[in-house]
Amino acid sequence: YSLENINIKINFGSRIAFVGKTGSGKSTTANQLLCLLRPTSGKILLDGNVLKKNNIVDWQSLCSYVPQSINLLNADFIKNVAYGLEENEINVSKVWKSLVTAQLEDLINTLPNGIRTNIGENGVRLSGGQRQRIAIARAFYRESKLLVLDEATSALDTKTESKLIEAINSLDKKLTIIFVAHRITTVKNCDCIYEFENGKIKAYGSYSDLIKNSDSFKEITKKDSF
């Protein structure tokens, strides 16, 4: 089994982190929560109610997933953020607000056509970090209830990542966020951190709890990465 005896409670509006080495089960657990994968045993409960097969589409409509690898349109910032909507359905001011929260304001202000600038095939005219931030802005625009960031800031420099995490953490507590993280600095302020190893949860708690009680977590913090 990829996962074994995973038992996680996530409070509405909380900031949760999954940490651990590659292949430890972090992304698989996130995919289970999003119902991109289905468990062979066990259940997912929402407010104590079992998430049934016929409710999965409704659940997924409330979720946003930002992976490390992003697919973008050969179009402007507006169409990439309001992905899948017809032009007459798009709220441009809401797109701009989402881009600002995703720390793209400075970039867009340097472009002659602003948010109407075409970013090229799959964002070829942008850096890796800028492409990741467009995907994050897309999730903000949807006003999801659950946001999963699966190493979605891996291409950012430390300063930009810090600003983005600060902006994310200041968002409305109606949004529950799960960070699948590769840097300790990303997860320091999370309500609960789950440390994965070989498909199991090795330890969990706040950052200060894990520093006190988990020797492996202490070792990770010395390197600031997994």
Side-chain angles (χ1 to χ4, degrees):
Y1 293 108
S2 297
L3 301 174
E4 187 177 346
N5 296 325
I6 300 296
N7 189 10
I8 294 174
K9 181 179 180 181
I10 299 173
N11 291 323
F12 182 71
S14 61
R15 277 41 176 167
I16 304 295
F18 296 165
V19 304
K21 295 178 181 178
T22 300
S24 61
K26 309 183 302 292
S27 293
T28 304
T29 301
N31 286 331
Q32 292 275 6
L33 293 171
L34 294 165
C35 294
L36 299 174
L37 297 172
R38 298 295 290 144
T40 50
S41 63
K43 298 180 179 68
I44 296 173
L45 304 177
L46 299 175
D47 291 334
N49 300 309
V50 176
L51 178 59
K52 297 180 180 177
K53 190 174 181 179
N54 60 336
N55 298 129
I56 287 177
V57 172
D58 290 335
W59 166 238
Q60 289 177 333
S61 72
L62 302 175
C63 302
S64 283
Y65 173 61
V66 182
Q68 195 170 2
S69 179
I70 312 300
N71 290 317
L72 298 174
L73 303 173
N74 185 5
D76 60 20
F77 286 91
I78 296 172
K79 289 178 181 174
N80 270 287
V81 172
Y83 187 80
L85 295 179
E86 297 295 331
E87 198 157 346
N88 63 340
E89 299 175 311
I90 297 173
N91 183 330
V92 177
S93 63
K94 188 176 169 185
V95 168
W96 175 245
K97 183 180 177 182
S98 300
L99 289 164
V100 169
T101 306
Q103 305 298 304
L104 281 164
E105 181 178 10
D106 290 345
L107 166 68
I108 293 169
N109 284 338
T110 66
L111 302 173
N113 294 320
I115 60 174
R116 297 192 182 277
T117 301
N118 189 295
I119 65 171
E121 186 69 39
N122 211 26
V124 69
R125 295 173 186 165
L126 304 175
S127 70
Q130 289 162 351
R131 289 196 293 270
Q132 284 185 325
R133 279 176 277 167
I134 288 179
I136 291 169
R138 186 184 288 171
F140 293 158
Y141 184 86
R142 291 189 66 209
E143 296 183 338
S144 303
K145 299 300 182 186
L146 174 68
L147 172 60
V148 175
L149 299 170
D150 192 351
E151 300 196 23
T153 61
S154 60
L156 304 183
D157 61 81
T158 305
K159 184 177 179 181
T160 303
E161 182 185 48
S162 178
K163 284 183 178 179
L164 180 58
I165 296 301
E166 186 179 339
I168 289 171
N169 284 328
S170 68
L171 292 172
D172 197 318
K173 287 294 185 178
K174 291 178 182 177
L175 174 64
T176 305
I177 303 175
I178 297 174
F179 298 92
V180 180
H182 72 292
R183 288 179 188 156
I184 287 294
T185 49
T186 310
V187 305
K188 271 190 173 182
N189 296 317
C190 285
D191 299 301
C192 189
I193 301 169
Y194 289 89
E195 184 185 355
F196 283 76
E197 185 178 271
N198 298 324
K200 300 178 182 178
I201 294 173
K202 185 174 184 178
Y204 67 94
S206 66
Y207 178 82
S208 57
D209 289 338
L210 289 175
I211 285 290
K212 290 177 188 174
N213 302 318
S214 173
D215 291 335
S216 58
F217 191 80
K218 279 186 226 175
E219 287 300 315
I220 290 170
T221 59
K222 292 175 183 177
K223 297 181 288 185
D224 192 36
S225 63
F226 309 108

